[in-house]
Amino acid sequence: MHPAVAVCLVFCGCCSNVVFLELLVRQFPGCGNIVTFSQFLFIAVEGFIFEANFGRKRPAIPMRYYLIMVAMFFTVSVVNNYALNLNIAMPLHMIFRSGSLIASMALGIIILKKRYSLSKYTSIALVSMGIFTCTFMSAKQVASDPSLNEEDGLHVFLWWLLGIAALTFALLMSARMGIFQETLYKQFGKHSKEALFYNHALPLPGFVLLAPNIYHHAVLFSQSEPFQIPVIGLTMPIMWFYLLMNVITQYVCIRGVFILTTECTSLTVTLVVTLRKFVSLIFSILYFRNPFTAWHWLGTAFVFVGTLMYTEVWNSLGPILARWRKRPKEE
């Protein structure tokens, strides 16, 4: 498949996914578990059919390594979704998760004994400053909510702090999982699609622990107002429609990223994913009218400029622009 098609899949799938996720979370803030379970189930079934060949294909990477990877992946997914139930706004959630570069660099230095250039450290400083700015301003908004009395305001603020702690833990765990994957791929070769299947199939039994919460939200979804799907004419509860679209767009997004990893360099993939996050953030703020001050915009700019500096995209764009400028003369 052409890389341009993959880029379209990433932008269309991931940006649409954010919209449907926010529609779900705005109605039921604690619905993260049923969303995650649905996504995992869909990708696991698809992978079981097309990747594992109904269980007949043996994995290239030993199962014991997948069990470790899955434990980390499941924990990160559940904690990230649960943070939305702890007074964490969607824009802050998206910005905070953009700090994965910080966590990856920190753990890379500690675990892999890596050393980086000055530009890398500068980019990480920008990302850190951006996340701190957005986090600090969101903390002020939570603490100064005029609709809450002093006691309730303190209670809400403490839950918000717990949400920040949850996001920080998930960020570090995700970075540790990335290092673990990098080590496995060096040892056994890259098997991204296989890893995608096992990362989503093996955690499914763990959702038994979350079954009461999943069932509770399934009942709430079923009680939502009916919605007639255009073209098809099928009528279903609107929350189930949002969930279905969220699952489909999540799959499109993940498949697009997978295609990019096979067709493009890691730099291109990082750049596309970063720009996708930025577009999703802007759309979320404008469409849903989320509270976002000038300080939030400044913090957002720091996060994404720092991320682009980290990928060294400027160095890659230089030769491309030079060739583009020379082309008319050659013709």
Side-chain angles (χ1 to χ4, degrees), residues 19-35:
V19 172
F20 288 110
L21 177 60
E22 185 146 1
L23 287 170
L24 289 164
V25 170
R26 278 175 170 265
Q27 189 69 29
F28 299 108
C31 69
N33 290 329
I34 190 172
V35 172

Side-chain angles (χ1 to χ4, degrees), residues 125-147:
L126 279 174
V127 173
S128 302
M129 191 182 303
I131 290 179
F132 173 79
T133 302
C134 291
T135 304
F136 180 74
M137 295 309 298
S138 294
K140 287 184 65 177
Q141 288 177 349
V142 171
S144 60
D145 190 339
S147 65

Side-chain angles (χ1 to χ4, degrees), residues 311-328:
T311 62
E312 297 179 350
V313 66
W314 324 113
N315 297 337
S316 298
L317 289 178
I320 296 175
L321 291 175
R323 287 197 298 269
W324 182 78
R325 287 170 183 167
K326 291 178 181 179
R327 188 172 300 171

Side-chain angles (χ1 to χ4, degrees), residues 14-206:
C14 297
C15 293
S16 302
N17 178 260
V18 169
V19 172
F20 288 110
L21 177 60
E22 185 146 1
L23 287 170
L24 289 164
V25 170
R26 278 175 170 265
Q27 189 69 29
F28 299 108
C31 69
N33 290 329
I34 190 172
V35 172
T36 304
F37 171 71
S38 303
Q39 293 173 351
F40 276 45
L41 182 62
F42 183 87
I43 294 174
V45 170
E46 188 274 342
F48 181 74
I49 297 172
F50 297 104
E51 171 60 24
N53 193 17
F54 295 95
R56 290 192 290 265
K57 180 182 176 182
R58 293 176 60 86
I61 299 176
M63 192 60 65
R64 64 181 181 275
Y65 294 116
Y66 276 126
L67 291 174
I68 298 173
M69 192 189 307
V70 159
M72 292 188 281
F73 184 68
F74 179 77
T75 302
V76 168
S77 298
V78 172
V79 172
N80 269 326
N81 279 318
Y82 192 72
L84 293 170
N85 201 29
L86 298 172
N87 299 321
I88 300 295
M90 182 63 75
L92 178 60
H93 190 277
M94 294 165 63
I95 293 171
F96 207 93
R97 292 180 69 179
S98 296
S100 55
L101 289 175
I102 306 171
S104 297
M105 176 175 277
L107 293 186
I109 293 172
I110 296 171
I111 298 175
L112 300 179
K113 309 299 182 184
K114 288 185 175 181
R115 292 295 178 266
Y116 300 92
S117 63
L118 180 61
S119 65
K120 288 286 195 293
Y121 288 117
T122 304
S123 67
I124 292 304
L126 279 174
V127 173
S128 302
M129 191 182 303
I131 290 179
F132 173 79
T133 302
C134 291
T135 304
F136 180 74
M137 295 309 298
S138 294
K140 287 184 65 177
Q141 288 177 349
V142 171
S144 60
D145 190 339
S147 65
L148 301 172
N149 58 43
E150 185 175 346
E151 184 177 346
D152 289 340
L154 178 61
H155 183 264
V156 168
F157 181 68
L158 290 176
W159 277 111
W160 179 86
L161 284 179
L162 182 60
I164 292 297
L167 287 177
T168 303
F169 170 79
L171 203 62
L172 292 172
M173 180 66 75
S174 178
R176 182 64 185 90
M177 183 180 70
I179 292 175
F180 184 71
Q181 283 180 311
E182 183 180 337
T183 306
L184 286 183
Y185 289 157
K186 284 182 179 178
Q187 184 177 355
F188 299 101
K190 288 189 176 182
H191 302 279
S192 302
K193 196 172 182 183
E194 178 185 285
L196 179 67
F197 164 62
Y198 284 106
N199 277 344
H200 288 80
L202 294 179
L204 287 178

